Amino acid sequence: MYSCTCPILLRKSNQTKMGSIDTPSTENGSTATLGGAGDGHLLPASDSAGYAPENDVGRKRKASVLPLEVGTRVMCRWRDGKFHPVKVIERRKMHGTGPNEYEYYVHYTEFNRRLDEWVKLEQLDLDSVETVVDEKVEDKATSLKMTRHQKRKIDETHVEGHEELDAASLREHEEFTKVKNIATIELGRYEIETWYFSPFPPEYNDCLKLYFCEFCLTFMKRKEQLQRHMVSFASFFSLKCDLKHPPGDEIYRSGTLSMFEIDGKKNKVYGQNLCYLAKLFLDHKTLYYDVDLFLFYVLCECDDRGCHMVGYFSKEKHSEESYNLACILTLPPYQRKGYGKFLIAFSYELSKKESKVGTPERPLSDLGLVSYRGYWTRVLLDILKKHKGNISIKELSDMTAIKAEDILTTLQGLELIQYRKGQHVICADPKVLDRHLKAAGRGGLEVDVSKLIWTPYKEQS
């Protein structure tokens, strides 16, 4: 899960717990199956019998298209062993001088950008190469063949998570972040494939993998550096990390779950490193180097080895727009376990203690929007199910700390609200509520408010 505008510049859950990989979804919501793609000759997607012997004309044609230009569209064999349409985003020269000595960074047009990757030439079906077409001409020609609804859906996909950017800024963002600079990270016992570009300092430009200390979030180029950082003798040289949990104050402990509040002003390096880490999994995250204005709430699973980060959210110390959350992320190894909704629920519990209503800062990421809609739906349906008599949107807002506008859009999406005689009226038929509750699924982990020990932030004089 995320969302964001959070502190530092700039502006897959393919996690592996020693090798496992999640099944990603296509952009239209269907599931793609992963598997090994065996060696051997490349086959077009429709050909299961194999190629006929290639003639000289075919070989000459293939040679004539190499090396592939940026922008070329071609079929590429993915991890499921099947061919999928891709667009070449970038290319790089490998060892050697021939036209075959290139790797290509491709975007799978059926999938989210988080699955973009470098591929070898042998993964590409050169018989399927399409002529490079000027993007503006292609878009114009395509738009003539689409209905207005289809074009709107495509436009929404193109700007998903970037609603605050104009067309020029969006192009600049996509150009700057089009190629992932870090392929994998090691964090605690997990090796995690990254999803997006993150603006690490220039000295890390040549690193495909980074090693993070899971407690202080210092990142290093080599495994040996991390080991020295963790071993006891390093304390003599002030290199050892003495932390077994995030810096800051523990404000919640229930069973094995713990939440820490970190002040960006007091723990600036930790805040900046957390933002570098989060940007690897958030496409549209806006980063600033000034983390002083933010508080970070880091959720951990605790055991005898320490407190291990699961995810976090951040919020501005003072928000004029009533934002109670700036950025939210559940790390890939911990997704689909209810932690995302727990973080959302926690942010609203803090708003209740502040006697305020809150809303997340926009834009939300695709995963963040799904999580918030699920949370709002579950909370509101539970109240409507139990409540006897009439209830207003204002009363729902006071009870939940959810902003009235978010309540209104959620109930409208569920078709539980009508506009009568100049005002909105909630129509909560018990059978309809039961149907929606069943569709909403489980509500995630519960926040035990009795275990929350916290007072609202006040600027120290």
Side-chain angles (χ1 to χ4, degrees):
M1 184 183 149
Y2 10 103
S3 149
C4 272
T5 304
C6 189
I8 305 182
L9 154 71
L10 173 73
R11 271 270 239 189
K12 230 162 176 227
S13 150
N14 294 349
Q15 97 260 9
T16 55
K17 182 179 179 181
M18 298 304 115
S20 66
I21 189 164
D22 267 356
T23 302
S25 297
T26 62
E27 288 183 347
N28 63 12
S30 61
T31 301
T33 304
L34 299 183
D39 295 330
H41 294 291
L42 295 180
L43 302 177
S46 61
D47 186 354
S48 59
Y51 284 124
E54 191 175 36
N55 56 32
D56 289 341
V57 175
R59 283 194 293 269
K60 287 180 180 178
R61 181 187 177 281
K62 289 183 179 181
S64 68
V65 301
L66 295 176
L68 298 179
E69 297 292 335
V70 171
T72 299
R73 297 179 184 272
V74 63
M75 301 296 288
C76 179
R77 186 178 59 191
W78 195 47
R79 308 168 196 180
D80 59 358
K82 299 178 182 179
F83 279 80
H84 298 270
V86 301
K87 179 180 178 181
V88 176
I89 303 299
E90 190 58 270
R91 67 183 188 186
R92 64 186 180 194
K93 189 81 166 154
M94 304 300 290
H95 300 296
T97 57
N100 298 347
E101 306 299 331
Y102 279 88
E103 278 188 328
Y104 299 94
Y105 193 79
V106 299
H107 168 62
Y108 294 89
T109 56
E110 301 170 330
F111 305 144
N112 186 281
R113 212 162 72 104
R114 66 176 67 105
L115 296 179
D116 294 1
E117 63 180 349
W118 288 101
V119 300
K120 305 284 188 184
L121 180 63
E122 54 264 27
Q123 293 174 249
L124 304 175
D125 174 18
L126 297 182
D127 285 330
S128 67
V129 170
E130 296 181 15
T131 305
V132 180
V133 180
D134 182 88
E135 292 289 329
K136 294 181 181 178
V137 175
E138 184 181 39
D139 289 345
K140 185 176 181 180
T142 303
S143 65
L144 296 176
K145 303 175 185 177
M146 292 189 296
T147 66
R148 183 179 302 167
H149 174 72
Q150 288 171 325
K151 189 170 191 306
R152 184 171 68 248
K153 292 299 290 182
I154 288 179
D155 289 342
E156 289 170 357
T157 301
H158 284 172
V159 300
E160 179 182 352
H162 299 285
E163 292 83 353
E164 83 285 11
L165 302 180
D166 57 28
S169 299
L170 181 61
R171 284 195 298 271
E172 181 181 359
H173 165 82
E174 291 181 343
E175 176 64 25
F176 187 65
T177 65
K178 65 182 181 180
V179 178
K180 280 183 283 192
N181 50 341
I182 307 297
T184 58
I185 63 168
E186 185 174 307
L187 181 70
R189 57 193 175 125
Y190 291 101
E191 184 178 80
I192 311 171
E193 290 187 17
T194 63
W195 294 358
Y196 303 112
F197 172 91
S198 182
F200 284 90
E203 56 266 32
Y204 295 89
N205 286 348
D206 60 344
C207 298
L208 292 179
K209 182 175 181 179
L210 287 180
Y211 299 86
F212 280 80
C213 170
E214 63 174 326
F215 302 120
C216 71
L217 296 187
T218 299
F219 48 89
M220 291 148 259
K221 295 182 178 182
R222 298 189 303 277
K223 179 79 170 181
E224 295 79 11
Q225 291 176 302
L226 178 61
Q227 290 170 338
R228 287 198 299 269
H229 179 76
M230 304 301 293
V231 296
S232 58
F233 73 80
S235 59
F236 180 77
F237 302 99
S238 300
L239 297 173
K240 175 171 167 48
C241 178
D242 294 319
L243 293 175
K244 292 298 180 184
H245 57 75
D249 300 322
E250 186 177 21
I251 61 173
Y252 180 88
R253 174 69 73 97
S254 178
T256 59
L257 281 186
S258 184
M259 183 77 82
F260 290 84
E261 180 185 65
I262 296 99
D263 187 333
K265 186 174 183 179
K266 296 179 180 178
N267 298 278
K268 185 172 296 188
V269 174
Y270 181 91
Q272 290 178 346
N273 289 348
L274 178 56
C275 292
Y276 279 130
L277 172 64
K279 180 62 188 75
L280 292 169
F281 305 101
L282 297 168
D283 185 17
H284 70 285
K285 178 177 170 65
T286 304
L287 298 169
Y288 309 100
Y289 281 106
D290 185 6
V291 296
D292 292 13
L293 305 179
F294 289 84
L295 296 169
F296 300 89
Y297 296 88
V298 179
L299 179 63
C300 297
E301 285 184 352
C302 303
D303 57 25
D304 55 358
R305 297 184 300 111
C307 299
H308 315 284
M309 185 172 74
V310 165
Y312 85 104
F313 71 89
S314 61
K315 62 181 290 187
E316 289 183 275
K317 293 175 179 176
H318 306 287
S319 174
E320 296 179 0
E321 295 84 1
S322 299
Y323 294 140
N324 66 349
L325 183 146
C327 180
I328 182 169
L329 171 71
T330 304
L331 289 169
Y334 301 97
Q335 290 178 4
R336 300 187 182 92
K337 296 183 178 181
Y339 288 128
K341 289 189 177 71
F342 180 90
L343 289 167
I344 293 172
F346 202 94
S347 71
Y348 280 107
E349 292 301 334
L350 298 187
S351 293
K352 291 175 185 177
K353 282 191 169 287
E354 292 176 306
S355 300
K356 297 178 180 178
V357 296
T359 189
E361 188 169 338
R362 269 57 167 189
L364 291 167
S365 68
D366 52 349
L367 298 177
L369 182 58
V370 168
S371 294
Y372 263 97
R373 281 176 176 167
Y375 172 78
W376 291 330
T377 297
R378 168 62 68 175
V379 169
L380 296 174
L381 289 176
D382 281 340
I383 292 175
L384 294 176
K385 178 74 175 174
K386 299 171 184 176
H387 188 78
K388 305 298 181 183
N390 295 329
I391 188 170
S392 68
I393 291 177
K394 173 69 165 58
E395 288 171 326
L396 285 173
S397 181
D398 291 340
M399 293 169 66
T400 63
I402 300 173
K403 199 170 183 180
E405 289 85 345
D406 296 330
I407 294 174
L408 184 60
T409 56
T410 301
L411 295 179
Q412 286 174 334
L414 296 171
E415 298 182 347
L416 294 177
I417 199 162
Q418 296 179 7
Y419 194 70
R420 298 176 183 172
K421 297 180 181 180
Q423 61 181 352
H424 291 98
V425 179
I426 299 172
C427 305
D429 180 87
K431 292 182 179 179
V432 175
L433 293 178
D434 287 338
R435 188 172 70 247
H436 283 310
L437 274 169
K438 185 176 180 180
R442 60 191 181 93
L445 302 172
E446 296 286 335
V447 178
D448 185 347
V449 183
S450 66
K451 304 293 178 64
L452 174 60
I453 303 174
W454 181 80
T455 54
Y457 174 82
K458 291 183 179 179
E459 194 74 52
Q460 294 180 350
S461 56

